[in-house]
Amino acid sequence: MSPTITDEALVLRRHRYAESSLVTHVLTRSHGRVHLLAKGAYRPKSAFSGVLDLFDTLELTWSTSKRSELGLLKAGRPLRLRRPISRNLSRYRRSLAVLELADLVARPGATESKLFSALELSLDRFAAGVDPELAELSFSLHFLQALGLAPALTHCASCGKQAPTASDSDVEVYFSAGSGGCLCRDCAREARASSARVGRLSLDVLRIANSLRSADSATLAAFRLPVERRSGVRDFIERFLEYHLETQPRSRRSARKSRRLPTRTVSR
Ligand SMILES: [Zn+2]
């Protein structure tokens, strides 16, 4: 008999297979990325109908076989529904964007529990009506943290010395995505000497990013980010992400096109 596994899961993507079946890629809390075949999922009386929706936390049971990478879904039930996400276009679009990010990095057979928790937290926030842009930015920072790629925002990424603490919000700091975050003057000079790209970034942007990263859900719900600061913070986080992912996620490509942002502002 094939071994059976039960775990919590979030659907990353799904597509129809054959006449009435469904193949879904899910991120699980303890078993990383798993690919599953839900036989007959599109039949009217299927036990899986309404169970494999995007954004919900599910409990899935599947059997595995040495001959196939595709597990066979045996049973499923939703543990936490997040219906409000689909009722608002901005929440829906940004929730798809966070799923896309997770989909880019989630590996089969790896422990992705930090990524799972970050994804679940952000979906809860979208469902609860937190400002969707802030929820997405906060997820991006948690996502980098889960991958061990969190940018150094308060200390020099190279020597660990505290970064500038000037009270002037327009003060700029040295920043290098390749070096892992902000740099003190000495380390910035060294990095430049070894041909690393080092740019200047507003200290205020770094501080806001740091607050977004550490904010709990209640703090984030009350967070007010002035319009004139939004594009700077968003641009910084997106550039850092793209640098480390070495790709521009599809959802962000179209968002950038519509905003007509310049192509490079973080490091030069
Ligand atoms: Zn330093």
Side-chain angles (χ1 to χ4, degrees):
M1 228 174 88
S2 340
T4 297
I5 297 171
T6 296
D7 199 355
E8 287 174 47
L10 292 160
V11 173
L12 298 175
R13 59 163 83 184
R14 45 185 208 168
H15 59 262
R16 206 172 178 125
Y17 176 77
E19 187 86 340
S20 60
S21 299
L22 180 80
V23 168
T24 179
H25 295 191
V26 297
L27 177 67
T28 61
R29 193 182 287 283
S30 309
H31 297 82
R33 181 194 193 95
V34 176
H35 299 171
L36 297 172
L37 173 65
K39 275 191 175 167
Y42 285 105
R43 287 199 192 111
K45 287 183 184 166
S46 167
F48 303 127
S49 93
V51 171
L52 295 168
D53 285 344
L54 293 172
F55 316 132
D56 296 339
T57 301
L58 314 169
E59 183 187 73
L60 301 180
T61 299
W62 67 94
S63 64
T64 62
S65 130
K66 286 204 174 81
R67 282 168 300 160
S68 170
E69 285 180 7
L70 208 54
L72 186 62
L73 188 63
K74 297 284 195 187
R77 66 183 178 106
L79 293 178
R80 191 169 171 83
L81 297 171
R82 298 188 179 89
R83 295 281 150 80
I85 292 180
S86 305
R87 293 189 203 121
N88 173 290
L89 188 58
S90 173
R91 277 185 227 169
Y92 178 75
R93 199 170 55 77
R94 290 178 188 278
S95 299
L96 286 182
V98 305
L99 289 184
E100 188 197 353
L101 272 188
D103 186 34
L104 276 175
V105 301
R107 300 151 299 165
T111 305
E112 306 280 19
S113 51
K114 282 186 188 164
L115 181 59
F116 187 92
S117 299
L119 193 54
E120 217 185 14
L121 175 68
S122 93
L123 292 172
D124 277 342
R125 288 170 170 181
F126 285 119
V130 167
D131 179 325
E133 183 173 30
L134 297 187
E136 186 185 1
L137 291 175
S138 172
F139 171 76
S140 299
L141 292 163
H142 290 163
F143 171 82
L144 285 162
Q145 210 158 14
L147 299 185
L149 295 170
L153 300 175
T154 54
H155 292 77
C156 170
S158 185
C159 72
K161 222 190 298 178
Q162 190 157 7
T165 52
S167 54
D168 182 353
S169 63
D170 287 319
V171 161
E172 289 192 324
V173 292
Y174 294 103
F175 193 90
S176 164
S179 305
C182 58
L183 295 172
C184 68
R185 189 184 298 269
D186 292 343
C187 294
R189 201 179 301 129
E190 253 175 60
R192 274 185 176 149
S194 60
S195 312
R197 289 161 75 98
V198 179
R200 307 272 282 169
L201 194 67
S202 148
L203 182 58
D204 205 31
V205 164
L206 281 187
R207 285 186 179 146
I208 293 167
N210 194 39
S211 309
L212 283 176
R213 181 162 72 187
S214 52
D216 59 23
S217 295
T219 311
L220 198 67
F223 206 93
R224 294 288 168 264
L225 182 56
V227 177
E228 64 274 16
R229 285 285 178 221
R230 285 192 179 232
S231 64
V233 174
R234 185 173 54 212
D235 204 40
F236 155 63
I237 294 173
E238 287 184 357
R239 300 293 173 195
F240 196 83
L241 254 181
E242 287 161 18
Y243 177 89
H244 286 289
L245 291 176
E246 295 175 339
T247 179
Q248 199 176 60
R250 210 175 44 239
S251 52
R252 283 147 209 267
R253 276 201 296 269
S254 49
R256 176 152 307 136
K257 215 187 254 173
S258 66
R259 293 201 308 270
R260 296 186 187 284
L261 283 179
T263 50
R264 274 257 164 226
T265 54
V266 169
S267 56
R268 58 178 62 91

